Amino acid sequence: MLISVNGKPCEVRAETLAALLAELEYEDAVVATARNRDFVRRRDRAQTAITEGDEIEILVPKQGG
Amino acid sequence: MQDSREDPWQVYGATLSSRLLVGTAQYPSPKILADAIRASEAEIVTVSLRRESGGSGAGQSFWSLIRELGVRVLPNTAGCHTVKEAVTTAEMAREVFDTPWVKLEVISDDDTLAPDLIGLVEAARILARDGFQVFPYTTEDLGIAEKLVDAGCEILMPWGAPIGSGRGLNNPYGLRAMRARFPDVPLVVDAGIGTPSHAAAAMELGYDAVLLNTAIAKAGDPVVMARAFAQAVEAGRLARLADPMEPRDMAAPSTPVIGRAFTAA
């Protein structure tokens, strides 16, 4: 299934957001997620289905001003 | 003598002794970042959320470093140009950083990085209703400031000058008017400060604190500059408390005139 992850095309097997994080090896990382520009809470990731063409953002803590 | 360290200020129920808030971006290395934050004596640092880059795990090690410093974090919505982007980013930041605080930026123009004041008020309303404690990056516009306070903001953060410009306080008159209009709302000059004298000037205007990043991070020696800012902020605060003299148009001798030599008795 072809989706977009952080703005880049990405071919994935995962069918949920939680599975996608595991597939992309973010499992142990502190991240925040959004699907199609809507925030997805940590506890909702396992129930959040991923479908063809989805735009997923996976963000991490970074330096800021 | 009055010590500004025994002169705390408060925002959203937090009591703070440092009046310097610093950003964490653009430092030459993580070690210099950590040393500069310690030297600044800041109790609040700003952070952001971004896509991972520069090697997997860079974001995680940054976050570990900040946690080790034991400071409060103020996540920003930097770079957001719409209400929707800012609200979603704030929601993501609240989960990752485990804080209701958010430095709300809705940017209208890429050359000035000026805030989109209409979007800012709308986003502040949405976030405050959702339990966020909003620190709005705004201008010295008093009408907008009233709307932000009505929306639930318990602090206002007008710019001194465009973000990263280091130009200091472009509109001291506007900042003074804001201080006079909102005597009981914590006010922080956020953005545009380039040198410690700019920070001292903001404190002399009666601002409760200043927030800056580039001025320390891009100094030749960020750690020494962080110390300089800590001292300037304290000096400016003490000056405000000490009630400065009014400027005069004419000279007035400070040395006594009476008893001067070579005059008629």
Side-chain angles (χ1 to χ4, degrees):
Chain A
M1 172 167 53
L2 186 64
I3 63 170
S4 153
V5 177
N6 289 348
K8 289 184 185 155
C10 198
E11 187 67 40
V12 299
R13 290 186 304 279
E15 293 180 349
T16 67
L17 189 50
L20 177 71
L21 290 177
E23 186 175 333
L24 299 177
E25 299 180 349
Y26 277 103
E27 250 176 333
D28 301 325
V30 177
V31 299
T33 50
R35 173 175 175 265
N36 298 331
R37 307 195 165 218
D38 286 325
F39 172 52
V40 180
R41 292 176 296 184
R42 191 178 288 129
R43 64 170 180 268
D44 294 336
R45 288 175 192 155
Q47 287 80 49
T48 300
I50 292 180
T51 55
E52 183 85 19
D54 273 356
E55 294 178 14
I56 305 296
E57 292 284 345
I58 304 169
L59 304 185
V60 300
K62 281 285 166 112
Q63 297 84 350
Chain B
M1 194 188 107
Q2 187 149 22
D3 185 339
S4 67
R5 278 168 234 210
E6 293 161 11
D7 164 41
W9 63 292
Q10 294 188 322
V11 59
Y12 291 116
T15 300
L16 303 153
S17 51
S18 170
R19 292 172 179 272
L20 178 58
L21 289 68
V22 297
T24 55
Q26 308 181 85
Y27 289 81
S29 71
K31 181 180 186 315
I32 293 174
L33 162 65
D35 289 347
I37 289 173
R38 281 191 207 98
S40 76
E41 299 174 36
E43 294 167 300
I44 299 175
V45 301
T46 53
V47 294
S48 75
L49 278 181
R50 286 289 181 266
R51 295 167 173 170
E52 188 72 274
S53 65
S56 179
Q60 310 301 317
S61 59
F62 166 71
W63 183 219
S64 301
L65 184 151
I66 295 299
R67 275 185 300 188
E68 280 165 23
L69 288 168
V71 289
R72 293 170 189 266
V73 294
L74 175 58
N76 70 27
T77 61
C80 290
H81 282 70
T82 65
V83 172
K84 169 73 175 163
E85 284 174 16
V87 168
T88 302
T89 302
E91 290 172 329
M92 295 172 87
R94 178 165 62 177
E95 185 181 76
V96 161
F97 295 111
D98 195 24
T99 173
W101 285 9
V102 63
K103 177 183 159 183
L104 182 60
E105 295 182 33
V106 185
I107 300 299
S108 70
D109 180 88
D110 278 332
D111 281 338
T112 60
L113 298 177
D116 168 359
L117 299 175
I118 297 162
L120 179 68
V121 170
E122 189 183 338
R125 278 198 195 112
I126 293 168
L127 291 171
R129 268 202 306 264
D130 192 22
F132 282 88
Q133 295 175 338
V134 178
F135 293 58
Y137 163 62
T138 185
T139 69
E140 56 283 83
D141 186 301
L142 296 182
I144 292 294
E146 291 281 7
K147 288 184 168 64
L148 290 168
V149 170
D150 287 347
C153 296
E154 295 183 15
I155 184 170
L156 297 167
M157 302 209 300
W159 63 354
I163 293 172
S165 69
R167 301 188 67 82
L169 308 183
N170 269 354
N171 183 4
Y173 160 77
L175 293 172
R176 195 178 296 120
M178 193 175 223
R179 179 71 286 176
R181 174 69 75 85
F182 299 98
D184 301 321
V185 176
L187 299 181
V188 177
V189 170
D190 172 15
I193 288 182
T195 60
S197 58
H198 298 153
M203 299 306 295
E204 287 174 17
L205 288 178
Y207 275 65
D208 293 278
V210 297
L211 196 169
L212 55 102
N213 184 350
T214 311
I216 292 177
K218 289 296 189 186
D221 187 333
V223 180
V224 172
M225 190 59 86
R227 265 177 52 209
F229 270 105
Q231 292 179 9
V233 166
E234 187 175 355
R237 176 62 187 170
L238 284 173
R240 173 72 179 187
L241 294 174
D243 189 12
M245 68 172 279
E246 289 296 323
R248 294 186 282 221
D249 287 336
M250 301 299 288
S254 42
T255 303
V257 176
I258 295 171
R260 194 159 45 106
F262 318 119
T263 57

